[in-house]
Amino acid sequence: MLFQFITISTIFLISKVSSQDIRCYACTTIDANAMLSEISDPNWLRWLENVRYVQFSQQCADYFEVDLALRDGVKSTECSNGVCMKMIFQERNGVSHVWRNCIPNAKEQIRSDCTKITSGEGDLEVCTCDGNLCNISSSKATLISIVFALFFVMFL
């Protein structure tokens, strides 16, 4: 009886959480003014200018330590009916730039996934996820999803 109560309670909580808005980490290691001055395409410029409105922090780098990032001023933001995003641009010289944020009102249009584009300038990877504060890193978000799936397979 206790097992059934715990199972039903867990399912209820997860369905309740998934129907609510999520929160995403919002920060960047990108020098927004320098980057935006090099972009001429108006569509890219409109989307990428949002990088100006998040906290600049070296703690936002690809290796993301939540405690250090929060102490450095990184915040989470509410993501209304959206998905979290992490974008990494790795230049050919090894320098990488990271931007974490929310893509609001995109839950029905964008699925959780990673896309990688390689060019002469470097590699661009954009990962999206739809869990609370899931844009820590692509591998951790995937790991969390696998752990939840295994939990339900084992106990249902």
Side-chain angles (χ1 to χ4, degrees), residues 55-66:
Q55 174 73 27
F56 176 86
S57 170
Q58 289 302 329
Q59 299 302 323
C60 191
D62 192 24
Y63 182 72
F64 190 71
E65 285 285 334
V66 174

Side-chain angles (χ1 to χ4, degrees), residues 49-105:
E49 72 184 2
N50 289 314
V51 78
R52 291 181 197 234
Y53 307 112
V54 297
Q55 174 73 27
F56 176 86
S57 170
Q58 289 302 329
Q59 299 302 323
C60 191
D62 192 24
Y63 182 72
F64 190 71
E65 285 285 334
V66 174
D67 293 341
L68 294 175
L70 293 175
R71 278 185 256 162
D72 198 41
V74 171
K75 305 274 189 235
S76 67
T77 184
E78 187 173 318
C79 193
S80 180
N81 195 33
V83 296
C84 297
M85 175 270 305
K86 180 178 117 179
M87 182 180 81
I88 304 170
F89 178 66
Q90 178 86 35
E91 294 181 39
R92 288 285 169 231
N93 63 10
V95 175
S96 68
H97 309 279
V98 177
W99 178 24
R100 300 170 198 275
N101 211 349
C102 160
I103 304 174
N105 302 313

Side-chain angles (χ1 to χ4, degrees), residues 23-156:
R23 296 191 70 78
C24 304
Y25 288 107
C27 60
T28 189
T29 63
I30 298 171
D31 177 353
N33 292 329
M35 178 193 69
L36 293 171
S37 68
E38 296 177 10
I39 297 173
S40 58
D41 183 278
N43 294 319
W44 277 104
L45 191 59
R46 188 173 345 122
W47 185 69
L48 289 171
E49 72 184 2
N50 289 314
V51 78
R52 291 181 197 234
Y53 307 112
V54 297
Q55 174 73 27
F56 176 86
S57 170
Q58 289 302 329
Q59 299 302 323
C60 191
D62 192 24
Y63 182 72
F64 190 71
E65 285 285 334
V66 174
D67 293 341
L68 294 175
L70 293 175
R71 278 185 256 162
D72 198 41
V74 171
K75 305 274 189 235
S76 67
T77 184
E78 187 173 318
C79 193
S80 180
N81 195 33
V83 296
C84 297
M85 175 270 305
K86 180 178 117 179
M87 182 180 81
I88 304 170
F89 178 66
Q90 178 86 35
E91 294 181 39
R92 288 285 169 231
N93 63 10
V95 175
S96 68
H97 309 279
V98 177
W99 178 24
R100 300 170 198 275
N101 211 349
C102 160
I103 304 174
N105 302 313
K107 193 171 195 111
E108 302 301 320
Q109 289 81 26
I110 299 176
R111 63 185 167 99
S112 296
D113 199 3
C114 289
T115 302
K116 191 171 189 176
I117 301 168
T118 300
S119 74
E121 300 290 318
D123 298 324
L124 174 69
E125 183 175 35
V126 178
C127 294
T128 56
C129 55
D130 60 3
N132 203 39
L133 301 174
C134 61
N135 61 341
I136 293 174
S137 75
S138 55
S139 60
K140 284 185 183 178
T142 302
L143 180 61
I144 289 169
S145 299
I146 291 169
V147 169
F148 274 121
L150 287 174
F151 173 79
F152 283 112
V153 167
M154 289 173 26
F155 292 107
L156 290 181

Side-chain angles (χ1 to χ4, degrees), residues 7-35:
T7 303
I8 292 169
S9 298
T10 303
I11 291 170
F12 174 75
L13 287 173
I14 289 176
S15 66
K16 189 77 170 161
V17 168
S18 65
S19 67
Q20 295 177 348
D21 292 339
I22 60 171
R23 296 191 70 78
C24 304
Y25 288 107
C27 60
T28 189
T29 63
I30 298 171
D31 177 353
N33 292 329
M35 178 193 69

